[in-house]
Amino acid sequence: MTGPDYEVEVIAGLEEPAERELRARLRGVEVVGRPREGRIAIRFRGAIRRLNDLRSVVAVYTVRRFAVPRPRALLGHENFQSVVALARSVIDAWPRGAFRSFRLSAAGADSPTFTRLKALLADSLHLASTEGPGDLLLIVRRPPDGSPGWEVLARTSPRPLAARPWRVCDMPGALNASVAHVMVELANPSPDERFLNVACGSGTLLIERLAIGPVRVAVGVDRSEEVLRCARENVEASGHSAEIALVHADATRLPFTSASFDTIVADLPFGILVGGRAENERLYPAILAEAARVATSDASFVAITASRRLFESTLEGLADRWRCARVLSLKIPYRSGYVRPAIYLLRRPER
Ligand SMILES: C[S@@+](CC[C@H](N)C(=O)[O-])C[C@H]1O[C@@H](n2cnc3c(N)ncnc32)[C@H](O)[C@@H]1O
């Protein structure tokens, strides 16, 4: 017998690190495939709540397929009870009161069939139907692999997993926490490391580093006092205030001695919301050179930027200080389209 089917949503480009985390964290998980970009299909027989510890994924959905020609058939007694059971399997995995509302997402969600389905579900689940975000997200769709029938998906958490509870202060341009998790993992975290986040913004990378485990030193630097106030609020909510120092400084002139950090991470201004092209042309070489000064001779530098051409040409000019060991190309939803940044893992060149 196989376990229930789940679909894992990840930022497109992070499928491989997410699969690694799935295998490491969930004993007995079977990765079935990638139904489409940014989606991983798995079979897992353990408790649903175990899925909520995943840090490199955006959200997880439990999936049930119905051999019906149209959604109207979901209103039939047996099928409807099966949809309710799917929703209950999620609700029961959380403490009482975690779910107060639900949203049904489907093409034509305001059709008479879906309006009736929403009313019946509200009654059976004792949850309010909402058009807003909703605690329980239910999706009705055709199977993405083109096979016949319809699928119902239920998100296994009241909010996406990438929406971390510590984020009490949001700022435009804040990094998706699942991306931040993958970035700090790429640098092979160790409890002995001295960890520096230049241009730290609201503190995402610092908090995700501490969520993995202890660290010798963790410092975030940003040139904006306002942004640092936001970072302070998030760091406090994360419970890691005692371990993270936030410093108001310019990343191109860091107030640290040479060779004092083992890992450096940066979510560089993309030039979309933060910084402009001309400014970045001055900033990138200065930040990379200054990072090399404060980095030890075997340090790693993990950076993300959507200004890939500028970043790569800057690296060519600094080949004596950094070499590129790995690139992950991502596609992140942004407004009505996407941004396509890359994560770069840099190491020090052999001497
Ligand atoms: C893309 S945002 C970082 C967002 C952050 N990762 C987060 O999740 O909130 C870039 C940050 O770079 C900072 N910044 C830009 N130029 C800087 C400089 N010369 N020195 C220090 N910080 C700088 C900005 O204030 C901004 O907070």
Side-chain angles (χ1 to χ4, degrees), residues 65-240:
R65 193 169 280 191
F66 293 83
V68 295
R70 53 188 69 84
R72 203 179 136 76
L74 296 175
L75 297 170
H77 181 75
E78 201 176 314
N79 288 333
F80 178 71
Q81 288 312 319
S82 192
V83 174
V84 168
L86 185 76
R88 287 235 167 88
S89 69
V90 168
I91 295 167
D92 293 347
W94 286 79
R96 239 183 133 77
F99 295 87
R100 296 187 183 283
S101 61
F102 78 95
R103 179 163 79 93
L104 184 85
S105 165
D110 48 4
S111 69
T113 295
F114 285 126
T115 304
R116 179 90 187 114
L117 186 60
K118 283 187 263 188
L120 289 173
L121 284 169
D123 229 39
S124 294
L125 299 171
H126 307 293
L127 299 180
S129 169
T130 173
E131 303 304 315
D135 299 321
L136 178 67
L137 174 61
L138 296 170
I139 299 169
V140 181
R141 68 171 191 200
R142 285 191 182 282
D145 61 6
S147 47
W150 286 79
E151 285 179 345
V152 180
L153 289 77
R155 191 177 63 205
T156 60
S157 53
R159 301 196 314 159
L161 296 174
R164 306 283 204 248
W166 55 255
R167 196 180 292 286
V168 291
C169 179
D170 206 355
M171 69 168 234
L175 190 60
N176 180 292
S178 67
V179 176
H181 172 82
V182 170
M183 286 176 66
V184 297
E185 278 285 1
L186 261 185
N188 282 334
S190 109
D192 295 331
E193 78 185 323
R194 291 159 296 174
F195 181 91
L196 171 65
N197 179 193
V198 291
C200 68
S202 61
T204 314
L205 284 155
L206 290 159
I207 298 168
E208 287 302 310
R209 171 60 191 85
L210 266 296
I212 289 177
V215 64
R216 178 140 60 118
V217 171
V219 184
V221 169
D222 204 285
R223 67 167 177 196
S224 158
E225 279 281 22
E226 193 191 335
V227 157
L228 285 174
R229 267 196 296 279
C230 186
R232 244 169 246 123
E233 284 179 37
N234 287 331
V235 167
E236 190 152 323
S238 76
H240 292 297

Side-chain angles (χ1 to χ4, degrees), residues 10-20 34 56 175 178-187 266 270 301-308 311-312 315 324-332 339-346:
V10 301
I11 295 289
L14 294 187
E15 292 87 351
E16 193 194 310
E19 283 182 13
R20 204 172 318 120
R34 295 181 185 171
S56 60
L175 190 60
S178 67
V179 176
H181 172 82
V182 170
M183 286 176 66
V184 297
E185 278 285 1
L186 261 185
F270 288 4
F301 184 5
V302 184
I304 182 167
T305 176
S307 299
R308 296 183 58 162
F311 188 84
E312 285 166 23
L315 267 186
C324 185
R326 199 156 170 214
V327 183
L328 292 176
S329 300
L330 316 187
K331 195 169 138 189
I332 304 182
V339 277
R340 293 168 187 275
I343 296 173
Y344 295 87
L345 169 62
L346 309 184

Side-chain angles (χ1 to χ4, degrees), residues 9-74:
E9 178 186 352
V10 301
I11 295 289
L14 294 187
E15 292 87 351
E16 193 194 310
E19 283 182 13
R20 204 172 318 120
E21 189 192 14
L22 288 166
R23 290 195 172 97
R25 238 184 241 278
L26 305 174
R27 252 203 28 217
V29 73
E30 188 191 336
V31 175
V32 180
R34 295 181 185 171
R36 59 192 164 105
E37 192 180 56
R39 300 286 171 145
I40 303 166
I42 63 168
R43 261 183 217 121
F44 176 60
R45 283 206 240 168
I48 284 194
R49 62 177 182 282
R50 302 256 323 275
L51 299 160
N52 297 326
D53 296 334
L54 296 167
R55 302 196 71 87
S56 60
V57 316
V58 173
V60 181
Y61 301 85
T62 170
V63 187
R64 197 156 296 173
R65 193 169 280 191
F66 293 83
V68 295
R70 53 188 69 84
R72 203 179 136 76
L74 296 175

